[in-house]
Amino acid sequence: MAEYLPDPLILDILSRLTDSSDIARCQVASKTLNSIAQNVQHINLVCTLSRYLKSRSPEGRHRVTPFKTIFSKLVQKSRRLESISIGVDKALAGIAFDDFEDESDDLFLTDIEFVKDWLPRVCEDLRFLSISDFWVQSCWRKTEVLALISSCCHKLLELEVRNAWLSVDGVNPMLRLTSLTLEFIRLEDEDLNKVNECFPCLQDLNLVGVGGLKDPKIHMLHLKTCLWTVSNAPLSLSIVAPNLIELKLKCIKPKLLVLETPLLSDFYLSLEKASNVRVKEFQNLQNLQLESSSFCYIIDAFPLGNTIKKLKVDLLKSTEPETIRKFDLGALFNVFPNVKSLTLGPRAWSQVETCFCKEGLENQTGMKELTEIMAHLVIDDIDVTLSIIFCILDKCTNLSSVALLIYREVDSSIANKLISRCTVDHPKIRWRWGMWKEGTEDTWLSDDI
């Protein structure tokens, strides 16, 4: 059938295949497809859990083509590659060390000898490279793959490495690299310092679950977006990035947190608590999403200013209940007077109800600029919940849109009563209703009831 289609159309079809194992099958099936497939400019090959299990079974191990062999053949038959992604499926993360009896390296994808065999052939035009290793095989084998990549991939713009123990010895500066992702990587502080030095032009940096760091510091002058999920509890954590616009930072309990990011506009911070916080004033912060078990301490420590227009707040679970008791809606109203959009997570709303029952909102002036609010309700006492909602509406006179998500386990009669009271008592408000449950996506039921 391929013989009757023009070559450019066949190439376009093959280029749209997201799984390069399909391309490998096409090359075997037809000489025409084999020839045209050599012009495909990307390889995306993933070892699935089913393939892995078949390769380990007594009846399948001799019939399953080794994963590295398939990849190598694809590379050998390609004329010009701009993008390569090779890895193992996330489902293989469930393979326990106890289930792994030998010292195989058939899925050790950052193995320097394996990468040496194919990378120099395709490095000239390569713009994107992603290697997601098999942690069971890679975590105890230190690899110098970064040095190899930096020595030959001079046009590389984006690099992703996952599930590996990386060495930074011999890494050369990569001045064209603008995006770097390191996920579930073993590094040390001096290794991260080397990353700062060798990738000076990064604009996008993602560090997820990078272990082994005690006093990590990011110092990048051109960085614009950063995702940093710190899995351990470092002594100190620093980000110096004068051009950073978007930051998502998730950490546990650093003793010292230093942020020098004056141009930050979008900030997501998940932090249990920090003994010492040093932050230069944010000049352009517009959107803030804050999760903490010591909320009042955090907002007191951060010079957040009056620039924030969109605010989302929730409380983390804490083994120290006294750290969250001080949270109340009045603190938000006082610290963020110019917020236009406010979202309260379920634990935040629960604490709002607790504080309201003790102190009310009588002494608070309200967010005069607030036009929309979203809250995740539990409804332990419907009268208390209604009182808070109506009090907020009285205080925030510019509110025009209220979105309320009710916990899925709440009795339907109580939910219906709440909906009826709100819509009848405040018919001019645009109401939206939905349901929430932890671990699932919010479900919206209606608009403008």
Side-chain angles (χ1 to χ4, degrees), residues 406-419 435:
I406 301 171
Y407 185 53
R408 288 181 184 273
E409 304 300 323
V410 170
D411 186 89
S412 59
S413 61
I414 295 177
N416 290 334
K417 182 179 179 181
L418 180 82
I419 294 172
M435 296 186 298

Side-chain angles (χ1 to χ4, degrees), residues 368-385:
K368 297 300 183 182
E369 302 297 323
L370 193 66
T371 59
E372 59 181 34
I373 187 170
M374 178 189 299
H376 296 69
L377 312 182
V378 178
I379 315 183
D380 291 323
D381 185 327
I382 189 172
D383 291 329
V384 171
T385 302

Side-chain angles (χ1 to χ4, degrees), residues 37-38 40 43 73-81 122:
Q38 295 177 23
V40 172
I43 289 178
K73 288 182 177 179
L74 282 169
V75 171
Q76 290 171 6
K77 292 182 178 181
S78 297
R79 295 192 179 102
R80 182 174 177 266
L81 287 171
V122 297

Side-chain angles (χ1 to χ4, degrees), residues 106-284:
D106 57 321
L107 290 177
F108 179 29
L109 303 179
T110 56
D111 178 11
I112 191 66
E113 296 304 322
F114 168 63
V115 181
K116 276 183 180 178
D117 185 53
W118 59 265
L119 186 59
R121 302 180 186 180
V122 297
C123 61
E124 183 177 352
D125 296 306
L126 207 57
R127 303 292 191 273
F128 173 86
L129 175 60
S130 175
I131 305 177
S132 298
D133 218 328
F134 184 31
W135 183 245
V136 171
Q137 293 186 11
S138 64
C139 67
W140 54 280
R141 292 176 165 116
K142 198 170 186 178
T143 175
E144 296 181 350
V145 70
L146 278 184
L148 176 61
I149 293 170
S150 69
S151 67
C152 62
C153 297
H154 302 301
K155 297 181 180 179
L156 199 65
L157 301 177
E158 299 180 56
L159 174 62
E160 300 176 355
V161 184
R162 296 179 175 86
N163 311 322
W165 182 10
L166 295 180
S167 168
V168 297
D169 293 340
V171 177
N172 298 316
M174 300 185 70
L175 303 182
R176 297 194 64 178
L177 196 74
T178 58
S179 178
L180 175 65
T181 296
L182 300 178
E183 188 170 336
F184 300 113
I185 298 295
R186 289 181 65 179
L187 284 178
E188 297 178 358
D189 286 342
E190 55 268 26
D191 299 333
L192 187 57
N193 293 336
K194 188 74 171 181
V195 170
N196 285 311
E197 295 173 8
C198 292
F199 308 109
C201 297
L202 284 183
Q203 297 182 24
D204 179 27
L205 176 64
N206 302 295
L207 300 176
V208 180
V210 176
L213 303 174
K214 295 181 180 179
D215 295 289
K217 181 176 181 179
I218 292 174
H219 189 176
M220 295 183 175
L221 300 180
H222 301 283
L223 200 63
K224 293 184 178 179
T225 64
C226 180
L227 164 64
W228 196 358
T229 301
V230 185
S231 57
N232 61 335
L235 296 177
S236 67
L237 188 150
S238 302
I239 300 177
V240 179
N243 288 296
L244 192 66
I245 296 174
E246 182 178 344
L247 172 62
K248 185 173 183 179
L249 176 61
K250 186 174 183 180
C251 49
I252 305 174
K253 298 178 181 179
K255 290 186 177 180
L256 174 63
L257 175 61
V258 178
L259 295 179
E260 295 186 20
T261 55
L263 298 186
L264 201 62
S265 175
D266 296 273
F267 187 16
Y268 164 83
L269 175 64
S270 179
L271 175 70
E272 286 192 19
K273 64 179 181 180
S275 301
N276 189 5
V277 178
R278 301 176 188 173
V279 181
K280 285 194 173 181
E281 186 174 359
F282 300 121
Q283 302 172 9
N284 302 307

Side-chain angles (χ1 to χ4, degrees), residues 156 220 238 304 329 335 401:
L156 199 65
M220 295 183 175
S238 302
L304 297 171
L329 204 55
V335 176
S401 175

Side-chain angles (χ1 to χ4, degrees), residues 7-56:
D7 290 357
L9 178 58
I10 296 175
L11 179 60
D12 182 62
I13 293 172
L14 293 175
S15 298
R16 294 172 185 268
L17 295 176
T18 56
D19 184 354
S20 293
S21 60
D22 293 330
I23 295 178
R25 296 185 185 98
C26 290
Q27 289 177 316
V28 175
S30 164
K31 291 183 178 180
T32 300
L33 292 176
N34 178 51
S35 176
I36 297 174
Q38 295 177 23
N39 294 312
V40 172
Q41 296 180 358
H42 72 269
I43 289 178
N44 180 28
L45 195 65
V46 177
C47 179
T48 62
L49 178 60
S50 61
R51 163 178 276 277
Y52 170 80
L53 294 176
K54 287 179 182 178
S55 70
R56 293 301 192 271

